[in-house]
Amino acid sequence: MDVGFIGLGRMGRAMAARLVGAGHRVRVWNRSPEAARAVEGAEVVGSPAEAFSGDAAITMLADDAALRAVVIEGGLLDGAARPAVHVGMSTISVALAKELAAVHERAGVAYVSAPVFGRPDAAANGALNIIAAGADDAITPVQPLFDAMGTKTWRFGSEPEKANAVKLAGNFLLISAIEAMGEAAAFAEGHGVAGADVLGMLTSTLFASPVYKNYGAMIMEGRYEPPGFTMRLGLKDVRLALEAGEAAAVPMPFASVLRDNLLDAIAHGDGDRDFAALATVAARRSGQ
């Protein structure tokens, strides 16, 4: 397939490289050209418009503001050459996903929301879980791209914003697990038991699932750099969940706790560390 890829952070670079490795023609654009040149075998283009064409265009930008600036304010949907399908793989707000679906419909370009679960190492190994929502006749043509980047595509209906709601729900659960492990470890330490020993036992028994085991290991080892996903991005996602919850009249009281604790961590200089370092907030508050 002829694919454009816009947004080449650590996740985007790994995902674009998987598409190149699967034999697709990949045209890449990034605000910082060095990141685009790092995708071996891809064709570096000079503007987002040059990437927004072909069989499909994928966006993997940092947040709502970046996606809005490039796609909507940048006039990509007004160009002469446009893709058959635009696949939005960024973690964005439910509200923006709804807006994107509407503007794409008016422009006559199919739009699919397909955020992912997985860190950069999973992206490099093609082991992402892809959450897709949109019309079947828009998703089916791009399934070979999803197959190159992920182990499974989970479909959540024809309305693109549903995929973004699922993504935010998942990230809320993930951050909640990190917070819970941090508090459990601090509680154990307060009673003279090594928190790492407790987490080692729990993540091998009652909580022997990938999130608890992987993030538990990071917490036990204090291994928060280099970050796979930063504290600042975690705060962004919790804020998006709170906004979407309010819009749907769904109270999320614990999300407010997570927001405040992420702010606490950022205020103490941890904003660019991996968001597993959220576990250190409970320890610091208890004087450990």
Side-chain angles (χ1 to χ4, degrees), residues 24-25 46 60-61 112 129 171 177 256:
H24 301 288
R25 179 198 176 197
M60 190 61 176
L61 296 160
V112 172
N129 278 281
N171 277 12
S256 295

Side-chain angles (χ1 to χ4, degrees), residues 124-180:
N125 293 325
L128 298 172
N129 278 281
I130 297 172
I131 313 303
D136 284 341
D137 60 4
I139 296 177
T140 298
V142 298
Q143 188 62 53
L145 306 181
F146 294 160
D147 292 341
M149 294 183 285
T151 54
K152 183 166 182 175
T153 301
W154 303 80
R155 295 197 184 191
F156 281 89
S158 61
E159 297 167 289
E161 66 271 13
K162 289 184 176 179
N164 301 94
V166 173
K167 169 62 174 174
L168 293 176
N171 277 12
F172 165 71
L173 275 176
L174 195 160
I175 300 170
S176 298
I178 293 171
E179 173 66 24

Side-chain angles (χ1 to χ4, degrees), residues 12 23 25 64 74 90 100 107 116 143 175 185 190 235 239 245 265 287:
R25 179 198 176 197
D64 280 31
S90 310
L100 285 167
V116 303
Q143 188 62 53
I175 300 170
L235 177 60
R239 282 175 168 159

